[in-house]
Amino acid sequence: MAEKTAARTASKSTERTARSADVLAAGCLCWRRAGSGVEVLLIHRPRYDDWSFPKGKQDPGETLPETAHREVGEEIGLLPRLGVPLPTIRYDVKDGVKDVHYWAAEFGPGARPEPDGHEVDEVRWVDPCEAHGMLSNPSDREPLAALVDLHERGDLATRPAIVVRHAKAKPRSAWSRAEGDRPLAATGKRQALAVTRLLRAWSPERIVTSPWLRCLSTVVPYARKAGVTVRERPQLTEASHKRHPKKAAAVVQALFDKDVPAALCTHRPVLPTVLGVLSRHMAPELAEQLPAKDPYLSPGEMIVLQISRRHRRRVVSVELVKPFDD
């Protein structure tokens, strides 16, 4: 059961909350351990002569997590694994109102960020107090304060656990062969490609899936590109879940028992059982962020949890994220 002291970080759909902004951007507060504390990475942009966090504008056809992942990679030469979502900041720019969405992103002691030499000419690891004074945009202090708060709670270091509903399949009415062989529709194939791109932002190292074709077709493309082994679990199929829902629940529980970034792909009828397991590991205010009505997730949509590595089964944040749908 989640402790009441769990960090109060939660986000519904990142995409939905940002639609009123004229300009969307995303980035990361990159951090590393420094003794008993942490350091954060600041970048200097010669065009503006300012100090800020790595970030940039959303490209057409991108989700905001993909933007954060790409922009950090472009500006400092290192690709992040997104952690806990941090407060979004808003400020006025010449094109209107700009929203910048941030995530925490941990780097190890051997990481060597390098400025791209164009947009960024200097990078610097500093402690949070120094960062507070150096940041040129006062709004950036809000996500910094949230990061410090997470560290003080012992919940800044996290690992992702992702639940994916398979992409859109061909209609049952148009399929006369075995249900487990029902393939993705044309739209579903495009969604599977989008899921592949989106999963890279969290880089799961373990893929658990129903062995039915429509689930495999949704997550195997990512696994192949990432060099990750796919573990098929028959307990996650619709048929097996209908007979033995507790066995499906045990597979979901393993997301919390094994300390590795993971993604799980299953079917709409299995989702109520999945959500029941997830809710047992989070505070009530986070559980309220989980979908409560059928169909729970749209095809290709995912729930991204960040699980505390110190408090091993505590969920720190919840996000609902849809892949870009053309």
Side-chain angles (χ1 to χ4, degrees):
M1 191 72 179
E3 299 177 23
K4 290 184 179 179
T5 54
R8 302 301 194 248
T9 306
S11 171
K12 282 192 175 180
S13 168
T14 308
E15 307 307 313
R16 293 188 199 114
T17 58
R19 286 178 181 165
S20 59
D22 300 296
V23 181
L24 296 177
C28 289
L29 272 65
C30 305
W31 67 275
R32 68 180 184 182
R33 299 179 187 274
S36 60
V38 296
E39 293 178 327
V40 295
L41 185 73
L42 298 187
I43 63 169
H44 183 263
R45 302 183 299 173
R47 179 181 177 186
Y48 304 102
D49 189 23
D50 69 354
W51 287 95
S52 64
F53 301 117
K55 64 180 183 299
K57 292 181 182 179
Q58 185 181 40
D59 279 350
E62 264 186 344
T63 61
L64 287 167
E66 289 174 274
T67 301
H69 187 257
R70 174 185 55 78
E71 283 287 343
V72 172
E74 290 176 355
E75 293 192 341
I76 68 169
L78 297 173
L79 288 172
R81 170 181 280 144
L82 301 190
V84 180
L86 300 172
T88 298
I89 67 168
R90 168 168 287 197
Y91 53 93
D92 293 328
V93 293
K94 65 178 181 180
D95 294 325
V97 174
K98 181 176 183 178
D99 279 359
V100 183
H101 294 253
Y102 281 119
W103 284 262
E106 181 180 8
F107 286 92
R112 297 290 181 266
E114 296 287 344
D116 67 3
H118 174 58
E119 293 188 27
V120 179
D121 64 354
E122 185 178 353
V123 298
R124 191 181 299 180
W125 288 107
V126 297
D127 65 53
C129 288
E130 187 175 357
H132 186 276
M134 289 178 62
L135 287 167
S136 301
N137 185 346
S139 300
D140 281 334
R141 294 170 183 163
E142 183 179 359
L144 176 63
L147 183 142
V148 171
D149 180 63
L150 283 163
H151 171 66
E152 292 175 348
R153 292 172 182 266
D155 289 331
L156 178 57
T158 60
R159 61 180 175 86
I162 304 166
V163 173
V164 185
R165 180 184 170 187
H166 67 72
K168 185 175 178 60
K170 286 189 174 182
R172 296 178 196 269
S173 59
W175 187 254
S176 58
R177 284 174 272 177
E179 179 63 13
D181 294 333
R182 185 154 59 94
L184 296 181
T187 298
K189 292 177 182 178
R190 294 194 298 272
Q191 288 173 340
L193 292 175
V195 167
T196 298
R197 294 192 301 269
L198 187 52
L199 283 176
R200 287 201 294 258
W202 292 280
S203 304
E205 298 171 5
R206 185 169 181 262
I207 303 295
V208 179
T209 181
S210 159
W212 285 6
L213 181 60
R214 51 193 181 272
C215 279
L216 290 173
S217 298
T218 300
V219 292
V220 165
Y222 165 79
R224 287 176 176 166
K225 286 182 178 292
V228 174
T229 301
V230 175
R231 292 170 171 81
E232 298 180 23
R233 295 291 183 264
Q235 301 94 319
L236 295 174
T237 64
E238 292 183 33
S240 178
H241 171 262
K242 187 174 182 178
R243 294 191 302 269
H244 305 291
K246 289 184 179 179
K247 292 184 178 181
V251 174
V252 181
Q253 177 60 38
L255 292 175
F256 297 90
D257 296 338
K258 298 184 178 181
D259 191 18
V260 61
L264 178 149
C265 185
T266 190
H267 310 263
R268 180 193 57 78
V270 186
L271 288 176
T273 295
V274 173
L275 294 167
V277 175
L278 301 186
S279 66
R280 294 201 295 267
H281 293 279
M282 60 185 73
E285 57 266 38
L286 286 180
E288 289 176 359
Q289 306 301 320
L290 294 173
K293 295 180 180 179
D294 193 9
Y296 307 103
L297 297 174
S298 58
E301 189 173 12
M302 57 187 71
I303 302 169
V304 180
L305 309 181
Q306 292 294 336
I307 302 174
S308 174
R309 296 212 308 270
R310 179 176 176 182
H311 306 104
R312 286 190 56 207
R313 296 183 178 181
R314 176 191 292 176
V315 173
V316 180
S317 66
V318 176
E319 296 175 271
L320 270 66
V321 185
K322 291 183 180 180
F324 179 77
D325 189 355
D326 59 358

